[in-house]
Structures are given as structure tokens and as C-alpha cells.
Amino acid sequence: MPPTARQAKKGIRNYLVAVTGLRPADGVTIRSATIAPEEFNDTLVILGDVIAPQAQAGLARRAENATVTCWVIVTKPGSDETAIDTAGDRADALIALVSNALAADRTAGGSVPNPGRIDLATSGLEETPVTWENQAARRATIPFSLSWTSHIS
């Protein structure tokens, strides 16, 4: 009974990176693991750690209940309200793109095994001052989680 969460997370990343507005050509980097500070860029979607406990779900299979901790992170130069608004607006637009893409296909292109229904939940907004490329900047972070149940045998 091999776990499926790692493979599903990889598939979700591949699904999202192909969505218009979330592609590298759109200036977005999607990573499938937490990154080091030096790996930050100005527009990120990070699919972080997975918790995936398993439980018996019938005679021949188990249910894997996966939850992935994720973040949308946008950094914009400046220290004024314009920088704060620009970072926050871009973060809002990105979480909307992620949410809409997963609502359109709850399996993320077949990445999540049956019953294959990804749910997205946001948990707030963090706005912080940072130094970015040797200048003042503002960072907007939207933490969110992805969860699903897969039946494995």
C-alpha cells in the first residue's frame, strides 16, 4: 500500500504550472517544496509539507487523507501604500487562479487518485516589510491548504 501524496503533489504542481496566469511565462514560480531564503523570487506559489495519515477504508483498501500546507507569496518594491496594495492585489489574483483551476478540475488533471476531490482553504493574509534587492519592499503572503482523500490498495 504505497502512499500517493508525494506523487499527487508533483502532479498538482505540474497541473498548476500549465495554467494561464500561473506559468513561468506569466512571471510565476511554482515550487513543490518549502524553499530556502535565497531561492525567493517576487512571485511564488509554494506547495509545502504534506500530512497524509492512512486509515482502513474497506476490506482491500486504505484511505489516505492528505493535507498540503501552501503559500502564495508576492513581493513588490516600495514602502508605501502603493507597494502594499500592489503586492496584496497580485497575491489575491494568484490565489484566485489557483482556486479556479482546482475548482475546474478537482483531480488536477488526474493527479489525485479516486475519489479525487481537492479542496482549497485559505487561512488569512500576512503583509510584511522586507528588504528586496537592496531596497525596501512589501510582501503579501496568503497561506492556504489543499486537502483530499485517495483510496489506495
Side-chain angles (χ1 to χ4, degrees), residues 7-151:
Q7 290 302 316
K9 190 170 94 163
K10 189 185 314 182
I12 293 166
R13 179 200 62 216
N14 291 338
Y15 173 76
L16 291 175
V17 80
V19 171
T20 300
L22 296 174
R23 302 169 302 182
D26 301 314
V28 179
T29 300
I30 298 179
R31 300 291 297 269
S32 64
T34 305
I35 62 172
E38 65 272 9
E39 296 175 300
F40 264 83
N41 65 35
D42 64 343
T43 309
L44 292 162
V45 176
I46 300 172
L47 309 176
D49 295 337
V50 180
I51 298 170
Q54 294 183 14
Q56 200 63 38
L59 295 175
R61 60 185 176 175
R62 296 181 65 74
E64 182 176 72
N65 299 298
T67 301
V68 183
T69 303
C70 307
W71 303 268
V72 166
I73 304 170
V74 176
T75 306
K76 294 296 180 185
S79 60
D80 58 7
E81 292 300 312
T82 300
I84 294 166
D85 290 345
T86 302
D89 291 347
R90 179 71 168 133
D92 287 343
L94 289 175
I95 196 66
L97 286 168
V98 171
S99 181
N100 292 338
L102 294 174
D105 182 349
R106 302 300 286 267
T107 69
S111 300
V112 175
N114 289 329
R117 178 185 163 95
I118 299 173
D119 292 309
L120 182 148
T122 59
S123 60
L125 169 65
E126 301 166 9
E127 295 175 305
T128 55
V130 295
T131 299
W132 184 253
E133 297 178 346
N134 297 317
Q135 62 180 337
R138 292 294 183 258
R139 179 169 290 150
T141 302
I142 299 176
F144 67 100
S145 63
L146 301 177
S147 58
W148 66 87
T149 298
S150 296
H151 290 163

